[in-house]
Each structure stands twice: as structure tokens, then as C-alpha cells.
Amino acid sequence: MTWTIRPERPDSPAAAALWRAYYTEVSDRWYLLHEGRRTDPAELEREIAAQSGADLVPPRGHLLVARYAGEPAGSAGVRLLDAATAELTRVFLYEAMRGKGGAALLVGAAEEAARASGATRLVLDTRSDLVEARALYARLGFTETEPHNSMSYAEHWFAKHLV
């Protein structure tokens, strides 16, 4: 089986389904950990709709969709924060696709997209409960840094210099 990674518009059917799955998983994980319940369906719909991904289209952003054996499997987004800094966001693989090497390929493709946009540094934020994500970023050469934003759920910030 092979991986392919290509840019797509955030409103494509595959990208929209990946965004819904990503947001549902990270939101449910937070609520289950902190409140013992899943995300309220109305809140889920509101938040998914509020983040259209318009910042992930060229020339200042890119949304990459990974396919495994031709089927949508994951995504990663990159958006320029300034001329030299890009932010990695929406890194996600469907659960059945995890452990097949796709996450590293997605992050690598996102790094290439950031470089192509002129960025020399890639930053991201994540939460403490997303231990798999933090381990992935450390394994791929990201180092934990001081906060670069004030996002309400961000608890860990990482950066990587792009060569």
C-alpha cells in the first residue's frame, strides 16, 4: 500500500470529513478527560463551522490531504504567520491509518510547503493530553519552546528550524 499527499481545498469532501473527524476526536478527548462526557453536538457543529480553513489556502496557507491506497487517510495544514514563520495545524490521521508511517510523511510534506512559502521556521501548539502528537513532534526534530500564541487550549509549543 502506498501513501500520496496532495494539496486540497479545505472545503473538498475529503478535507471537510477529515476536519470533522479531527475536531470531534480532540474535542471529545478534552471533554472526556475534564468533564467525563463527549462534546455537546450543538457546540461541535458550531465550532466545526466556525473554522472553515480559509487560512489554509494559497498563497498564505496550504491544506494537505494524505491518501492511503487511494482513500483519504489524514491531513495537515500550514499557514504563514509572518514572512519567516509558518504554523503547523490540523495534523490528523484516521485511527485505522495510524502506525503506517503517514504522520511523519504528512509533517514532512507540511515542512516542504512551509519552505516553498518562504518560511524558515515552523511552529505549532498542542495539549498535554495529546501525548502521541507531542511524541511525534519530538521524534521529527521539533523542540519545545516558549508560547508563540495565547490559544486557550494550548499547553505545549514546539518549533523547528527549516533548512
Side-chain angles (χ1 to χ4, degrees):
M1 300 290 179
T2 60
W3 286 97
T4 58
I5 300 173
R6 293 195 177 90
E8 284 196 29
R9 293 197 48 82
D11 60 356
S12 76
L18 286 158
W19 169 234
R20 174 174 289 284
Y22 166 87
Y23 195 88
T24 301
E25 182 175 326
V26 297
S27 184
D28 280 354
R29 279 178 78 161
W30 191 90
Y31 278 110
L32 286 167
L33 179 65
H34 296 281
E35 297 185 13
R37 64 173 178 89
R38 295 194 179 280
T39 311
D40 175 83
E43 176 187 355
L44 191 63
E45 293 306 317
R46 184 179 62 249
E47 294 303 318
I48 289 170
Q51 298 182 39
S52 69
D55 56 341
L56 301 176
V57 297
R60 297 202 48 87
H62 304 278
L63 180 68
L64 304 169
V65 171
R67 285 181 162 67
Y68 186 74
E71 294 298 316
S75 64
V78 175
R79 61 177 156 243
L80 284 175
L81 299 180
D82 59 45
T85 307
E87 182 176 37
L88 180 63
T89 186
R90 293 192 188 190
V91 177
F92 175 76
L93 286 171
Y94 287 126
E95 188 172 357
M97 295 293 107
R98 296 174 190 165
K100 300 176 188 292
L105 293 172
L106 263 171
V107 173
E111 289 176 16
E112 286 301 317
R115 275 188 209 91
S117 296
T120 58
R121 183 172 180 250
L122 190 58
V123 298
L124 65 95
D125 66 68
T126 191
R127 299 188 325 231
S128 292
D129 63 309
L130 300 176
V131 293
E132 306 91 340
R134 292 186 5 247
L136 171 71
Y137 301 134
R139 183 169 49 88
L140 296 178
F142 287 81
T143 56
E144 201 152 351
T145 65
E146 293 299 315
H148 65 269
N149 64 26
S150 58
M151 298 298 291
S152 57
Y153 294 103
E155 297 170 311
H156 297 271
W157 294 262
F158 289 83
K160 182 177 184 177
H161 290 284
L162 304 174
V163 279

